[in-house]
């Protein structure tokens, strides 16, 4: 398979142009630019006031290796430091243009200028140098959502099997969701590659437990319960299965990238010594964005209840563990792991199917979400030291 070589040395498997809006007032203009030019994707942050977490997400999404060029659209009076955002993304070596709607002359002029930039960037992207790549060039993110009683028996173990094979081939794999791993602390700690990792992992679990107590909520939803999950421990043990069996080589914070082959845990839980607490994760799209910000080229998403989610910039492969859901929502599911429940397929067989599909998607094959045009994403406000996620 081949990838796109970027100026900063990173390799992309997609060749998008990104339009990034810096406030909700610039959203419509950005959407219109993106709809007008094939190959352009839109993302951004709605808040008028500066938010360090959102700023970091925008920087990393703009610098992502699946992005060939960036157009930043601002209204002109938002608090976000748009000049700094532009310069930080430009450090990646890709072309970055900024449109100030107020200075450009309003919506029509800004859309016209944005289309011009987008067409130029798409034309340039088509000349990007391609080079042979392997699984050891890839970063893979792993997430689950809409879990049910089948998830821990089918989709998650099959994904874990594929994760083990990816690590053996030199890939970097990231899983997260610490609040959804409460109850299996000992299993996690036993997999720490060294004492430093174990200490940082223990600290994250303590914060995740504390956050749940303070917010009076844990990671079991009404949909999970309706799907047959009974306790956080049951959900946690099932969720852990998707991380395979390899040692956890390091703990990442949002926006940090894995530097060597192995399995990583992404710690997204903020500090608790403040009254400015926040919801840990607004939705599954928020979770996918943090994996993208750590450089994930492909996102693996397991579900039992069924989720149609896609994402910006990187393809999402959906693995469904419930055979009834997988058949009913076959237009959205890439892998039907329900055969494990029905006794038709083994975990290894479904895991191999997923492993093969990852290689095909890295080589250019579109996922169901890409074909259908699903581009869900979310960058929420995370103010205060409770969300000082960067360590």
């Amino acid at each position: 398979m081949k990838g796109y070589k970027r100026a900063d040395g990173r390799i992309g498997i997609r060749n998008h142009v990104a339009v990034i809006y810096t406030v909700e007032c610039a959203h419509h203009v950005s959407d219109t630019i993106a709809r007008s030019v094939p190959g352009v994707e839109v993302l951004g942050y709605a808040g008028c006031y500066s938010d360090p977490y959102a700023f970091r997400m925008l920087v990393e999404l703009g610098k992502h290796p699946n992005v060939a060029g960036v157009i930043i659209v601002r209204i002109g009076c938002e608090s976000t430091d748009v000049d700094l955002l532009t310069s930080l993304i430009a450090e990646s070596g890709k072309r970055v243009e900024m449109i100030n709607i107020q200075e450009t002359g309003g919506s029509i002029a800004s859309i016209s200028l944005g289309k011009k930039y987008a067409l130029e960037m798409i034309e340039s992207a088509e000349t990007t140098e391609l080079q042979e790549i392997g699984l050891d060039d890839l970063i893979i993110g792993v997430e689950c959502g809409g879990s049910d009683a089948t998830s821990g028996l089918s989709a998650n173990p099959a994904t874990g099997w594929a994760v083990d094979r990816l690590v053996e081939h030199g890939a970097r794999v990231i899983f997260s969701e610490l609040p959804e791993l409460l109850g299996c602390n000992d299993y996690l700690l036993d997999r720490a590659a060294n004492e430093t990792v174990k200490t940082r992992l223990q600290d994250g679990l303590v914060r995740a437990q504390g956050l749940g107590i303070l917010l009076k909520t844990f990671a079991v939803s009404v949909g999970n319960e309706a799907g047959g999950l009974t306790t956080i421990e049951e959900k946690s043990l099932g969720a852990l299965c998707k991380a395979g069996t390899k040692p956890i080589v390091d703990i990442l914070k949002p926006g940090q990238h894995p530097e060597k082959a192995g399995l990583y845990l992404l710690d997204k839980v903020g500090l608790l010594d403040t009254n400015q607490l926040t919801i840990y994760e607004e939705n599954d799209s928020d979770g996918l964005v943090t994996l993208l910000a750590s450089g994930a080229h492909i996102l693996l998403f397991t579900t039992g209840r069924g989720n149609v989610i896609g994402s910006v910039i990187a393809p999402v492969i959906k693995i469904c563990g419930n055979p009834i859901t997988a058949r009913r929502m076959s237009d959205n599911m890439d892998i039907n792991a329900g055969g494990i429940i029905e006794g038709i397929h083994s975990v290894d067989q479904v895991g191999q199917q997923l492993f093969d599909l990852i290689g095909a998607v890295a080589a250019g094959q579109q996922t169901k979400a890409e074909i259908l045009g699903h581009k869900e994403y979310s960058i929420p406000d995370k103010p205060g030291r409770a969300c000082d996620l960067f360590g």
Side-chain angles (χ1 to χ4, degrees), residues 249-260:
V249 299
D250 205 355
I251 309 296
L252 301 175
K253 291 288 188 177
Q256 293 181 335
H257 302 169
E259 298 298 332
K260 60 182 181 180

Side-chain angles (χ1 to χ4, degrees), residues 181-202:
L181 295 170
L182 293 173
C184 52
N185 300 27
D186 290 344
Y187 296 104
L188 276 169
L189 294 171
D190 284 346
R191 290 175 58 181
N194 53 57
E195 288 301 316
T196 299
V197 173
K198 181 178 288 188
T199 298
R200 295 180 64 194
L201 182 52
Q202 179 66 60

Side-chain angles (χ1 to χ4, degrees), residues 83-103:
D83 290 334
L84 179 60
L85 175 66
T86 303
S87 64
L88 289 175
I89 294 175
E91 288 178 357
S92 65
K94 64 189 66 174
R95 180 180 174 184
V96 183
E97 298 287 353
M98 192 267 287
I99 298 173
N100 185 321
I101 296 172
Q102 292 172 346
E103 293 183 358

Side-chain angles (χ1 to χ4, degrees), residues 158-339:
T159 300
W161 188 95
V163 164
D164 282 348
R165 304 294 85 74
L166 287 166
V167 171
E168 290 167 2
H169 282 76
R172 291 156 284 172
V173 181
I174 309 169
F175 74 112
S176 58
E177 302 169 296
L178 270 175
E180 297 193 13
L181 295 170
L182 293 173
C184 52
N185 300 27
D186 290 344
Y187 296 104
L188 276 169
L189 294 171
D190 284 346
R191 290 175 58 181
N194 53 57
E195 288 301 316
T196 299
V197 173
K198 181 178 288 188
T199 298
R200 295 180 64 194
L201 182 52
Q202 179 66 60
D203 174 65
L205 289 165
V206 169
R207 281 182 281 108
Q209 178 79 20
L211 184 65
I213 292 170
L214 287 166
L215 295 176
K216 296 181 173 61
T217 181
F218 288 92
V220 178
S221 69
V222 173
N224 296 150
E225 293 171 350
L229 285 172
T230 58
T231 64
I232 183 63
E233 288 84 3
E234 182 183 1
K235 185 178 183 183
S236 297
L237 288 168
L240 181 59
C241 290
K242 70 180 183 294
T245 63
K246 301 299 184 184
I248 300 169
V249 299
D250 205 355
I251 309 296
L252 301 175
K253 291 288 188 177
Q256 293 181 335
H257 302 169
E259 298 298 332
K260 60 182 181 180
L263 179 68
Y264 293 78
L265 190 140
L266 179 59
D267 178 1
K268 301 179 288 186
V269 182
L271 305 178
L272 305 177
D273 57 345
T274 176
N275 292 324
Q276 290 184 289
L277 289 170
T278 183
I279 299 298
Y280 159 77
E281 194 164 280
E282 296 283 342
N283 48 52
D284 292 326
S285 297
D286 178 17
L288 295 180
V289 164
T290 57
L291 292 168
L292 290 176
S294 288
H297 294 93
I298 296 174
L299 303 167
L300 310 182
F301 190 95
T302 65
T303 185
R305 299 281 292 169
N307 194 319
V308 300
I309 198 169
S311 193
V312 293
I313 296 175
V316 177
I317 297 174
K318 289 192 293 296
I319 308 101
C320 185
N322 188 315
I324 297 173
T325 304
R327 285 191 287 268
R328 185 172 62 239
M329 300 184 67
S330 59
D331 288 345
N332 297 98
M333 302 302 151
D334 298 283
I335 297 287
N336 178 0

